Amino acid sequence: MAYDSNNIFAKILRGEIPNQTVYEDEHVLAFRDIRPQAKAHVLLIPKGPYESFEDFSARASDAEIVAFTRAVAKVSRLAGIDVTGYRAIANTGADGHQEVPHFHLHLLGGQRLGRMVSLPE
Ligand code: 5GP
């Protein structure tokens, strides 16, 4: 599947839609989720056009992957969840219920989150 440059996170990256930025560098942007699912809910995205974690893992450069991974600890500190902990989720593809086709890592924390997954009935 080709990358859809009209997805909402591509628009955020182009500055067409505002965001509450938590962290930004050459390769990465982190911002608050518009519909937070926990007291702290930050989305971390690469600036490159990768539609999913699968795509990012397969195609991103080493520099992009290192920058993305290093940014996790920077963002968790800035969000105040590095000590108390958090859940990092990358919903991927149809079974993973990914809604926005630009790779994003959810960082959820600021409260106890309970068990990891509940399956639909
Ligand atoms: P997914 O289901 O694809 O893993 O998660 C997409 C996330 O993007 C959802 O948590 C949703 O609330 C968030 N989101 C969708 N549109 C916007 C937006 O315009 N701004 C921000 N900050 N988050 C958004």
Side-chain angles (χ1 to χ4, degrees):
M1 200 169 88
Y3 178 80
D4 170 16
S5 56
N6 280 323
N7 78 73
I8 201 93
F9 295 166
K11 290 179 180 174
I12 284 176
L13 284 169
R14 290 196 295 268
E16 295 166 11
I17 292 175
N19 73 90
Q20 267 188 279
T21 298
V22 174
Y23 174 78
E24 182 169 14
D25 65 27
E26 182 189 352
H27 293 297
V28 169
L29 178 68
F31 52 96
R32 302 267 171 201
D33 195 292
I34 205 165
R35 288 186 295 275
Q37 303 293 312
K39 285 183 183 161
H41 188 172
V42 179
L43 299 170
L44 180 58
I45 68 173
K47 290 188 171 176
Y50 302 104
E51 69 176 27
S52 66
F53 193 16
E54 175 74 17
D55 188 28
F56 183 74
S57 174
R59 290 199 307 109
S61 68
D62 289 1
E64 289 172 305
I65 290 172
V66 168
F68 192 89
T69 305
R70 292 287 185 204
V72 172
K74 295 173 187 168
V75 171
S76 68
R77 274 178 227 144
L78 289 167
I81 57 177
D82 56 314
V83 173
T84 46
Y86 55 90
R87 182 167 294 151
I89 300 174
N91 295 323
T92 305
D95 278 0
H97 206 281
Q98 180 178 357
E99 291 183 347
V100 178
H102 182 110
F103 171 43
H104 48 284
L105 189 69
H106 297 257
L107 295 186
L108 297 143
Q111 64 185 86
R112 296 294 168 124
L113 295 169
R115 282 181 180 276
M116 187 168 70
V117 172
S118 68
L119 294 172
E121 297 301 315

